Amino acid sequence: MKDLIEIRWHGRGGQGAKTAALLLADVAFGTGKYVQGFPEYGPERMGAPITAYNRISDRVIRVHSNIYQPDYVVVVDDTLLDDVDVTKGLKKEGAIIINTEKEPDEILPKLKGYEGSVYVIDARKISVAALGRYFPNTPMLAAIVRVSGIMEEHLFVKEMEHSFGHKFASKPEVIAGNMKALEIALREVRKV
């Protein structure tokens, strides 16, 4: 991993992009990394576009601002490709990960000529299969870990199980479903 990885999340209010960014920070911290995870607040409401950020490093992070030139962008809702310039500032050496069931020829024209790597994952299919409901943030968390190499996948899975264990202590079936979603997503994220 390079000294500092910066990630920008794009989602809609209620889809868990903010929660995913905070969970990623928590899990990375658990593996010994220095982290930041924060949302960009505005007049958010259910369904409105939101942005969240992560910085993850092996060294102390001294910068405290929004991320304008991310290494990675995670798009939790592909309808945002029509409304938001999700590739703005995205480094060509990085990658964009999009939750979609659409074919690449439907997605690529919406990326404004982005020349870096593009990955896709069907987080809806995965979360419905694993959890019985649509929660895209868990599969998207696994996808960013897989694509970025921020941490070793087995450490990620171990830390997520620990985190879910605290969060859903009274609902063990939710823990099992989320763990299954992570494992499927780690296998199914693919480069276009």
Side-chain angles (χ1 to χ4, degrees):
M1 182 176 104
K2 66 183 213 173
D3 280 352
L4 178 68
I5 299 286
E6 294 182 312
I7 302 165
R8 186 174 66 217
W9 296 76
H10 292 279
R12 293 192 181 277
Q15 292 179 325
K18 176 186 120 177
T19 300
L22 298 177
L23 263 173
L24 182 58
D26 185 48
V27 168
F29 181 77
T31 66
K33 307 276 186 200
Y34 292 92
V35 300
Q36 292 178 353
F38 54 99
E40 180 177 347
Y41 284 108
E44 280 81 18
R45 63 193 183 286
M46 193 68 106
I50 66 105
T51 308
Y53 304 93
N54 285 111
R55 284 192 179 93
I56 300 172
S57 179
D58 290 324
R59 301 172 192 249
V60 174
I61 302 170
R62 303 215 183 273
V63 66
H64 298 280
S65 66
N66 282 352
I67 295 171
Y68 300 103
Q69 294 184 311
D71 298 290
Y72 298 95
V73 166
V74 180
V75 181
V76 180
D77 185 324
D78 65 0
T79 65
L80 290 168
L81 299 176
D82 296 321
D83 303 328
V84 177
D85 183 1
V86 296
T87 60
K88 185 177 182 178
L90 178 57
K91 295 175 184 171
K92 189 167 93 171
E93 306 78 33
I96 186 168
I97 305 163
I98 304 166
N99 170 22
T100 189
E101 57 188 23
K102 295 178 181 166
E103 294 299 318
D105 62 341
E106 296 176 80
I107 296 295
L108 294 175
K110 297 179 180 189
L111 299 182
K112 303 190 183 304
Y114 177 65
E115 297 176 2
S117 297
V118 178
Y119 292 81
V120 294
I121 186 167
D122 189 343
R124 176 180 298 278
K125 180 183 83 173
I126 292 168
S127 66
V128 169
L131 295 159
R133 293 183 57 198
Y134 181 45
F135 295 107
N137 59 345
T138 298
M140 297 310 288
L141 264 171
I144 186 61
V145 168
R146 178 64 180 259
V147 170
S148 67
I150 293 169
M151 65 190 82
E152 293 181 38
E153 290 175 20
H154 74 278
L155 292 176
F156 166 69
V157 170
K158 179 182 170 189
E159 287 295 321
M160 286 302 296
E161 188 169 27
H162 179 74
S163 181
F164 287 148
H166 285 295
K167 186 172 183 176
F168 302 116
S170 63
K171 300 177 186 177
E173 69 282 358
V174 175
I175 298 168
N178 274 287
M179 294 308 297
K180 183 177 178 183
L182 289 174
E183 291 167 13
I184 295 169
L186 286 168
R187 291 191 312 264
E188 291 197 9
V189 65
R190 63 183 172 87
K191 190 171 184 178
V192 174

